[in-house]
Structures are given as structure tokens and as C-alpha cells.
Amino acid sequence: QVQVMESGGGLVQSGGSLRLSCTASGSVFNIVAMGWYRQAPGKQRDLVATVNSDGATEYADSAKGRFTISRAHKTVFLQMNSLKPEDTAVYYCNVHANASPSTTGEHYWGQGTQVTVSS
């Protein structure tokens, strides 16, 4: 089983910065990709940014130019700058990984961390 733990959320003023961290632990044989999603109240969970095993990154249009995703082994970071009130949401870490050589890749989710941006 793979465990996913996020940290780094909080309350920040508009224009401020936050850095989220997420670490995968447990039975992690191979990580295919790691990423961040967010869900605001009453809305669906949307992609923010992902990074795959080759280092290739993908960003939502709303994150381009303000957010940077990076990865170090089993930890993924999301540096968020120039935050806006519309960035307020619960941010979830997703790990796409194989738990063993004989299993297919599965998606594992963290419990989420709240990011609140005040105007």
C-alpha cells in the first residue's frame, strides 16, 4: 500500500506565496507521476500541475507563470506565487505508482491541505 502525505497549506494574503509538499511512502516500487489537484467548495476537483518520471511537467492555464512543480525522489513540491483569492481550495496530492513489480499503476490520494487566500 502507498501512503501520501501533504503539508504546507495555510492562510496567506493576496499576492503572497506558499509552498506545498507531498511525500509518498510505504510500498512504492515505481512512481509514474506525481501531481497536485485542487477542489473549491461546490466545484469539481481540477488539475493544477503534474510532473512525470521523465521530469516533464503540465500546468493548468490558471497556474502557468505563477506555480512551479518540482520533484525530489518520492517528494513533490508546489511553489505558489502571486496567489489570488480564486486559488482558495483544498489541494490534493496525487501519486501514480506501482506498489510492486507485478502490479499495475494505481492513483493514490492524500487527505488534502487547505489553502486560503484573503483579498
Side-chain angles (χ1 to χ4, degrees), residues 1-78:
Q1 188 64 290
V2 176
Q3 291 82 46
V4 179
M5 182 65 68
E6 305 113 331
S7 63
L11 172 65
V12 65
Q13 289 187 333
S14 181
S17 298
L18 281 175
R19 189 188 196 215
L20 305 183
S21 301
C22 167
T23 299
S25 62
S27 182
V28 181
F29 172 71
N30 176 58
I31 293 178
V32 177
M34 301 180 80
W36 292 94
Y37 292 71
R38 68 186 184 187
Q39 187 168 18
K43 296 187 177 181
Q44 66 181 19
R45 188 174 299 186
D46 291 324
L47 168 74
V48 177
T50 62
V51 56
N52 68 18
S53 57
D54 294 329
T57 58
E58 178 183 355
Y59 293 91
D61 287 343
S62 59
K64 290 178 181 176
R66 300 187 300 126
F67 296 1
T68 302
I69 191 169
S70 60
R71 178 187 162 189
H73 195 39
K74 297 180 183 179
T75 298
V76 65
F77 305 96
L78 185 68

Side-chain angles (χ1 to χ4, degrees), residues 13-16 62 66 81-88 116-118:
Q13 289 187 333
S14 181
S62 59
R66 300 187 300 126
N81 299 326
S82 301
L83 283 161
K84 305 174 182 179
E86 51 263 45
D87 294 317
T88 295
T116 303
V117 184
S118 63

